[in-house]
Amino acid sequence: MISSQVLQTAIDELRAITRIDLGVYDLEGRVVATTFQEEEIPEENIRQFVDSVADSQVIQGCHFFKIFHEQMIEYVLISKGSNEDAGMIGKVAVSEIQNLIIAYKERYDKNNFIQNLLLDNLLLVDIYNRAKKLHIDVEVPRIVYMVETKQEKDNNARELLKTLFATRARDFITAVDEKSIIIVRELKQEDGYDEVEEVARMMKDMLNAEAMSTVRIAYGTIVNEIKLVSKSYKEAKMALDVGKIFYSEKSIVAYNTLGIGRLIYQLPIPLCEMFMHEVFGDNIPDSLDEETLVTINKFFENNLNVSETSRQLYVHRNTLVYRLEKLQKSTGLDIRVFDDALTFKIALMVVNYMKYMESQI
């Protein structure tokens, strides 16, 4: 529950203030944390004390205390010395460690609750009951971010995010797999997507600079009830996948800006294959050379304007027209015509989607 390092720090601080040596042991008599030599207290003495009815006892010149949580013994604390000072400091240490157990258990329970909430593993009544027990507001605006780093289990990135949001006790940083970090962020009532995007940029800049890691960030839509947090999570997850397929140049992707890519992502592969055959027949373009792709993308960016596209590509207008006519001969689509341009744009996105899905098998 609590790491031995945390317990060691707690008793070290008490030892520095009081000069009373302390030790924390598990129920089998094994050392968890101590400020004195481990072998000074026989394991048998600790086990006998655990089995006794006493909550505290002086044994061989030391004060023994049981540390409880929810009426169950968690640890045994030993305060060296049989005088009143050792007994008093022992009681203080017991109180501090019990408070640590409560705090760590609540944090663990909250993390566990958020994970199950994201994965839709809770009944509606359980969501509200557990949220109330854990003192989590149920009707405040929230949004879910997903941060994907190049390395799996990137603990450095996770710790940096915890530092960034250290003052925000109502935000939750967790994970449901090894590939991404999830932030459930509570918003102010007046916050909109401009503020959400600003936080995403701040996270990206910090992780790129401090963790020396290229990250991709996606976020869902703002939800106003805790039961809808899983909806925002699913949207963020979809945005992350759709962004990789159709908007690879973007490092931050919002679910509400996915456009037609979101629709294509939800199509079954057989339907995509049928569409490609209807458009291209048996001459489905497997891949296009870099020059052709750059030309097409720039042409689309300039709203099918030949003059502006040729200017930005630094090519003669006739050269651009030749490239477009060459594409028309190979595909049967003249992307200077809006309907053909729309069909070709969708077809390119479908091809990217099909390749991505094949790579996931």
Side-chain angles (χ1 to χ4, degrees):
M1 186 182 291
I2 305 178
S3 69
S4 58
Q5 184 178 358
V6 171
L7 291 171
Q8 186 67 54
T9 300
I11 63 174
D12 281 344
E13 290 175 352
L14 283 171
R15 170 69 178 80
I17 296 169
T18 66
R19 297 185 181 180
I20 300 291
D21 279 308
L22 301 164
V24 180
Y25 297 78
D26 67 16
L27 305 188
E28 295 298 321
R30 293 184 292 265
V31 174
V32 177
T34 183
T35 64
F36 52 84
Q37 293 297 318
E38 298 179 9
E39 61 272 10
E40 291 185 31
I41 307 296
E43 290 184 3
E44 185 60 31
N45 287 1
I46 296 171
R47 287 196 291 267
Q48 287 178 359
F49 173 64
V50 169
D51 293 334
S52 72
V53 295
D55 292 344
S56 62
Q57 197 173 355
V58 177
I59 303 173
Q60 295 183 355
C62 295
H63 283 272
F64 282 57
F65 297 90
K66 291 176 182 175
I67 300 174
F68 291 91
H69 178 66
E70 294 181 351
Q71 301 180 339
M72 298 291 291
I73 304 174
E74 295 284 342
Y75 301 105
V76 171
L77 180 122
I78 294 175
S79 179
K80 287 198 72 177
S82 57
N83 57 29
E84 290 185 5
D85 287 345
M88 181 63 69
I89 298 306
K91 291 177 182 178
V92 170
V94 168
S95 177
E96 181 175 341
I97 291 171
Q98 283 177 336
N99 288 332
L100 279 173
I101 291 171
I102 292 169
Y104 271 74
K105 184 171 175 56
E106 182 172 294
R107 190 172 78 175
Y108 170 80
D109 285 348
K110 282 185 176 180
N111 186 65
N112 182 262
F113 169 68
I114 292 297
Q115 287 180 336
N116 282 301
L117 180 67
L118 294 171
L119 296 173
D120 275 335
N121 288 340
L122 298 170
L123 296 173
L124 188 60
V125 64
D126 291 334
I127 291 174
Y128 287 97
N129 286 341
R130 289 187 63 182
K132 183 178 180 181
K133 183 179 179 181
L134 294 169
H135 310 292
I136 298 173
D137 289 337
V138 296
E139 292 186 348
V140 294
R142 292 184 174 91
I143 196 161
V144 176
Y145 294 92
M146 285 192 74
V147 179
E148 186 178 83
T149 59
K150 283 189 174 181
Q151 295 179 330
E152 291 189 1
K153 288 187 175 180
D154 195 331
N155 292 324
N156 188 27
R158 187 168 178 176
E159 290 305 314
L160 281 170
L161 288 171
K162 284 183 178 179
T163 302
L164 180 63
F165 298 117
T167 59
R168 295 182 57 90
R170 294 175 180 271
D171 291 349
F172 301 99
I173 299 174
T174 187
V176 295
D177 57 40
E178 297 179 351
K179 296 181 179 179
S180 53
I181 305 164
I182 300 168
I183 300 100
V184 181
R185 182 176 173 83
E186 184 174 311
L187 305 175
K188 298 176 183 176
Q189 290 293 340
E190 64 272 18
D191 284 349
Y193 288 104
D194 288 342
E195 289 77 13
V196 170
E197 179 74 14
E198 186 178 340
V199 171
R201 284 199 297 268
M202 179 177 61
M203 288 192 290
K204 183 199 75 171
D205 292 342
M206 185 193 71
L207 291 172
N208 286 348
E210 300 293 334
M212 303 296 288
S213 175
T214 303
V215 299
R216 296 182 66 85
I217 299 174
Y219 57 86
T221 56
I222 297 171
V223 296
N224 292 305
E225 287 190 53
I226 196 164
K227 67 179 181 181
L228 299 175
V229 166
S230 63
K231 170 179 172 286
S232 187
Y233 163 68
K234 290 171 187 172
E235 292 168 345
K237 192 172 186 301
M238 179 185 285
L240 199 60
D241 287 341
V242 173
K244 288 183 211 171
I245 303 169
F246 305 119
Y247 314 107
S248 57
E249 74 283 358
K250 292 184 179 181
S251 54
I252 299 174
V253 184
Y255 176 80
N256 57 5
T257 62
L258 293 178
I260 197 170
R262 191 172 82 202
L263 297 177
I264 294 172
Y265 181 75
Q266 297 178 80
L267 293 176
I269 294 297
L271 191 60
C272 293
E273 292 172 345
M274 186 189 307
F275 169 76
M276 296 299 290
H277 279 289
E278 287 177 356
V279 173
F280 298 108
D282 294 330
N283 300 316
I284 298 175
D286 184 42
S287 61
L288 297 170
D289 60 78
E290 187 66 24
E291 182 184 80
T292 303
L293 279 174
V294 170
T295 301
I296 293 167
N297 289 329
K298 187 62 69 176
F299 190 56
F300 287 155
E301 285 176 20
N302 289 294
N303 299 315
L304 315 186
N305 187 310
V306 175
S307 299
E308 183 60 24
T309 302
S310 61
R311 186 185 68 81
Q312 291 187 20
L313 289 174
Y314 303 103
V315 299
H316 193 276
R317 177 188 172 93
N318 290 343
T319 303
L320 176 59
V321 170
Y322 169 75
R323 290 181 187 175
L324 297 178
E325 288 177 347
K326 182 181 176 183
L327 180 66
Q328 181 183 359
K329 289 178 182 177
S330 64
T331 64
L333 296 172
D334 183 359
I335 63 172
R336 291 169 293 183
V337 178
F338 177 78
D339 285 349
D340 282 3
L342 180 61
T343 301
F344 195 84
K345 176 69 174 177
I346 294 172
L348 282 180
M349 296 178 75
V350 169
V351 167
N352 289 337
Y353 168 61
M354 291 170 67
K355 286 182 178 178
Y356 174 81
M357 295 306 291
E358 285 176 11
S359 69
Q360 300 302 303
I361 298 174

